[in-house]
Every structure is written in structure tokens, then in C-alpha cells.
Amino acid sequence: MRFRRVLFAAVSTVVLLIASTTAATAAGRSYRNYVALGDSYTSGPLIPLPRLDPLFCGKSTQNYPSILAAALRVRSYTDISCGGADTTNMTRSQSVFLGSNPPQFSALRANTDLVTVGIGGNDHGVFGTLVGTCPSLRASDPTGNPCQDKFTVGGVDTMKAKVVETGKNVEKVLAGIHARSPRADVLVIGYPRIAPESGYCPKILPFAEGDYAWLNSVEKALNSAIEKAVAADGKASFVDTFGPSAGHDACASNGAAWINGQHTKLLAAAAYHPYRTGMAGVAGVILRHLR
């Protein structure tokens, strides 16, 4: 039954994307050469089917760049995103198991006319630190906020302080994109919601109850820092996915979740990463932005 609901949701999303594409083509710019840059929230680890360039970047043929490329009917499409990437991997190769991913800027060309970039969550190890540390602290104070307490030092939220620095890194990334692809429309894709605005689902997101609100606040701070970097750049545009993903957090039921919880699911999603439905949802948000 769950499979049928998920299948229905996926089919419905495809229909909506087709409709959005028609409207976007009629009202907006037609793109020919598209390049996608980003980390695992772009690449889509474990979403079938995997690409082999390289395999251990966790790049899916059904991530949002692939859906977007098909919907826009671009002539050329290069997805050089890779799981674990941070802003340094725009200009530096990234080692992965049994291979490496070239510097992501190497995909940019003078004739590139559309660039999407989803990056920043791995800078300073913020994302990995949160999901790697917070669940283990839940038992010490299930209804409190032990993770927030751990990362608050001398009254300073160290996670949010790191996020501010991430915004500065994103500004440099945008300058690098414009220098290499000066005619491209550059879309900076924000991160979708992981935790619900209210309520808890400890079997899926094993954080202390008080840390749910803090996790949301850190993610909002990250998206805000990225959006401010886009505003400072003045040439790119920010695509908010946090707001549109309300009701699609990891706790959402009946196949509505865009994000997986703590358990890795083969042929579905890595832990704490997007499902195929999440990728389709983000693609729809981007298409509406373009329209």
C-alpha cells in the first residue's frame, strides 16, 4: 500500500513538472547548456539508478538536476555534483572511494547558460557534525536540548557561527562561476527542511525533543547565510526550498517525506538525505522559480 502511495506521488509530480515546463518555456528563457554543481543534496545518493562518473559520488540519474534537464529540454547537461563536496571542491578535486571527482568548476564553459549550485552544508563539517553527534546525546536528556547545549560555548552558538563563514565561502563560489560562465543564469539552491516545525518522530529523527527546534534554527541560519551571499553577489538568484518543503520533512507520513531519516535505505535514500520524491519536489520549486 505504501508503495502505491509513493508511486502515485511520483507520477503526480511528473505530471506537475510537465505542466510547469510548458509554462516556463512560454514565459521564460530557453536554456541550451546546463551545468549542475553541488553536494549530496544535489547528487542524490542511493536514489536509483546510480551514475558511474564516479560511482562513489552517489550521483543519481533521478536527482533534481536530471529532472530539471529533462523538463527544460536542454541541449547539453553536465552534472558534476558529488556527495561530501564543500565549497573548496569547486576548484579542488575531491577524493572518493575508488576514484576522484574533478574540480566542479571544470564543467563550466563560456557558453554555459544555466548553472544550479547547492553547496555549503558540508563546510566546517556542520551537517556531518549535527547528524553524527546529536542522536547520541538524546538519551542523556530526551525532552531537553543536549545537542544545542554541547555546541553553545560561552553563550555563542558555534554551529551558527560556522554557518556565517559558510556564507562568505559561497560568495567566492559565485564569483568563480561568473568568471567562467559570464552569460549563465546562476541559481543557488537552498536546503529543504529536515525536521518538522512541530512534533517529534524519534524513531526517524533520533534527536532530543528540544533539539528539533534548534536543528531547524541552524538550517534556517544556513539558508539565510547562503541567501545573503546571493544578495551580496548581485548576479545570481536564490531558490528557497525550506519554505516549500513544509509538510515534507523526514517525519511526514504516507509517502509525503522529501527527506529520509536515520536509517539508510538501499534503492531509496542515504540516511538524512533526499528521496526521489524530494528531488522531484525541489525540481518543481526550481521550475516555478524560472517561470
Side-chain angles (χ1 to χ4, degrees), residues 103-154:
Q104 294 195 25
F105 279 173
S106 66
L108 298 172
R109 300 287 183 270
N111 68 347
T112 299
D113 56 7
L114 176 64
V115 177
T116 60
V117 54
I119 201 74
N122 293 321
D123 280 39
H124 306 292
V126 169
F127 182 82
T129 298
L130 291 175
V131 300
T133 304
C134 296
S136 65
L137 298 176
R138 184 178 187 276
S140 66
D141 189 6
T143 60
N145 54 343
C147 204
Q148 181 180 12
D149 289 343
K150 178 178 177 62
F151 292 110
T152 301
V153 180

Side-chain angles (χ1 to χ4, degrees), residues 35-120:
V35 173
L37 315 172
D39 57 25
S40 56
Y41 267 61
T42 299
S43 66
L46 298 185
I47 299 173
L49 292 168
R51 288 177 52 163
L52 306 178
D53 53 345
L55 173 62
F56 289 97
C57 268
K59 190 159 41 184
S60 170
T61 56
Q62 290 296 308
N63 58 14
Y64 75 73
S66 64
I67 297 171
L68 188 63
L72 294 175
R73 300 176 184 175
V74 295
R75 184 179 66 181
S76 72
Y77 157 55
T78 303
D79 179 1
I80 197 169
S81 64
C82 189
D86 60 28
T87 53
T88 67
N89 297 121
M90 299 298 106
T91 56
R92 185 185 307 167
S93 62
Q94 179 185 351
S95 296
V96 296
F97 185 63
L98 297 179
S100 66
N101 198 48
Q104 294 195 25
F105 279 173
S106 66
L108 298 172
R109 300 287 183 270
N111 68 347
T112 299
D113 56 7
L114 176 64
V115 177
T116 60
V117 54
I119 201 74

Side-chain angles (χ1 to χ4, degrees), residues 211-238:
D211 281 328
Y212 272 62
W214 179 67
L215 175 62
N216 266 327
S217 72
V218 172
E219 192 176 0
K220 287 178 181 178
L222 173 61
N223 280 317
S224 177
I226 294 171
E227 186 173 13
K228 288 178 181 177
V230 172
D233 170 75
K235 299 177 184 177
S237 59
F238 178 72

Side-chain angles (χ1 to χ4, degrees), residues 151-209:
F151 292 110
T152 301
V153 180
V156 175
D157 188 319
T158 59
M159 288 292 105
K160 292 179 182 176
K162 290 179 179 179
V163 160
V164 172
E165 294 302 313
T166 296
K168 297 176 183 177
N169 295 342
V170 172
E171 281 190 54
K172 296 176 183 177
V173 168
L174 294 176
I177 294 172
H178 298 315
R180 292 163 176 82
S181 301
R183 299 178 182 177
D185 284 352
V186 181
L187 307 184
V188 183
I189 315 304
Y191 290 89
R193 177 185 292 275
I194 299 173
E197 188 67 31
S198 61
Y200 316 102
C201 58
K203 292 183 179 179
I204 297 171
L205 290 179
F207 299 86
E209 292 179 6

